[in-house]
Amino acid sequence: MLNVLNHPLITHKLAVMRAVDCGTKDFRQNLDEIAGLMAYEITRNMPTKKVRITTPLEDMDTFKLARDIVLVPILRAGLGMVDGIRALIPTAKVGHIGLYRDEETLEPHEYFAKFPSNLPDAEVMILDPMLATGGSADAAITLVKRRGARFIRLVCLVGAPEGVKRIESSHPEVDIFLAALDDKLNDKGYIMPGLGDAGDRIFGTK
Ligand code: PRP
Ligand code: URA
């Protein structure tokens, strides 16, 4: 299911990031902050389990998260979302998937994958600021499923309808969370109006 997190703070920060004159420092900082705000919304319906604890005054029944959380950023740009979410969920473990998109064919190519051992029982959040054709997210979801992941959410900043459609059709059970759903892809596979190349803007490589 597609969830677009329409929240004034998220939309405001995203507007700052989208602007062509937003430099690397402000881009990274706003991405960090949005990722944290998104984490709060995304975890809203996560399963909890009953636990018995002892306060300084007495015993009580209360609740904790039922499953561990594993963040899986798609390199490079997904790395920019890790710290903001970890600020809220410091116990989250982090796996990594290295994918780059061929600029001609737009096909994703895998160059790295490493996951924590609790992946099959954890709530897995795949992180990537951009969901364009959906090829990279599709490949990342397929890879974590092959490694045993069962509870998967896809968390992106900006999505195109083409990418959303692809994930909904290849992985219909995966919930998709976006800060914004944009209009379309251009003929080079960039999201319009989008924010340009997320990896380059985070790491200052262009
Ligand atoms: C970008 C982006 C996604 C992918 C989206 O990464 O961060 O991973 O493209 O496009 P898609 O939905 O059409 O697959 P890129 O391949 O540019 O690598 P980078 O993060 O290293 O810059
Ligand atoms: N990757 C990006 O970084 N930006 C886009 O608009 C599309 C793919």
Side-chain angles (χ1 to χ4, degrees):
M1 199 179 67
L2 173 64
N3 305 272
V4 182
L5 304 180
N6 283 315
H7 187 291
L9 267 180
I10 293 178
T11 308
H12 174 92
K13 291 173 190 295
L14 184 54
V16 172
M17 293 177 71
R18 285 183 190 270
V20 66
D21 57 358
C22 175
T24 299
K25 176 174 165 287
D26 289 337
F27 192 89
R28 278 207 323 268
Q29 185 181 330
N30 281 279
L31 178 57
D32 236 23
E33 292 169 359
I34 294 177
L37 291 168
M38 289 183 80
Y40 186 77
E41 287 295 330
I42 291 160
T43 49
R44 189 179 285 283
N45 66 351
M46 271 197 182
T48 53
K49 64 180 178 201
K50 205 168 177 183
V51 291
R52 183 105 184 134
I53 60 155
T54 306
T55 78
L57 300 174
E58 65 173 348
D59 291 350
M60 72 176 284
D61 290 324
T62 182
F63 296 91
K64 285 189 169 177
L65 288 174
R67 301 188 189 107
D68 293 343
I69 294 179
V70 169
L71 309 180
V72 180
I74 301 179
L75 309 181
R76 288 176 302 168
L79 287 174
M81 300 176 77
V82 171
D83 288 351
I85 300 180
R86 269 189 136 185
L88 264 78
I89 314 170
T91 52
K93 293 192 174 161
V94 183
H96 294 87
I97 297 179
L99 289 176
Y100 72 89
R101 192 172 77 145
D102 183 293
E103 285 180 12
E104 298 299 320
T105 65
L106 303 184
E107 285 301 313
H109 294 271
E110 183 187 326
Y111 59 87
F112 186 77
K114 191 158 177 93
F115 304 105
S117 59
N118 61 346
L119 191 76
D121 298 317
E123 295 281 349
V124 176
M125 292 190 203
I126 304 219
L127 311 177
D128 194 328
M130 309 309 278
L131 179 64
T133 65
S136 304
D138 190 350
I141 295 168
T142 302
L143 181 55
V144 294
K145 280 185 178 173
R146 244 190 273 132
R147 301 290 184 96
R150 294 176 294 154
F151 313 107
I152 306 167
R153 291 157 208 249
L154 174 65
V155 185
C156 303
L157 199 61
V158 181
E162 293 89 334
V164 171
K165 216 166 163 187
R166 174 161 177 170
I167 301 303
E168 283 177 338
S169 121
S170 342
H171 306 284
E173 79 291 2
V174 171
D175 279 332
I176 305 169
F177 294 87
L178 299 178
L181 178 63
D182 276 11
D183 297 343
K184 58 177 183 211
L185 296 179
N186 71 9
D187 57 4
K188 291 199 164 73
Y190 276 82
I191 300 173
M192 302 295 285
L195 47 72
D197 189 307
D200 283 340
R201 296 195 68 185
I202 292 167
F203 295 105
T205 40
K206 230 173 228 170

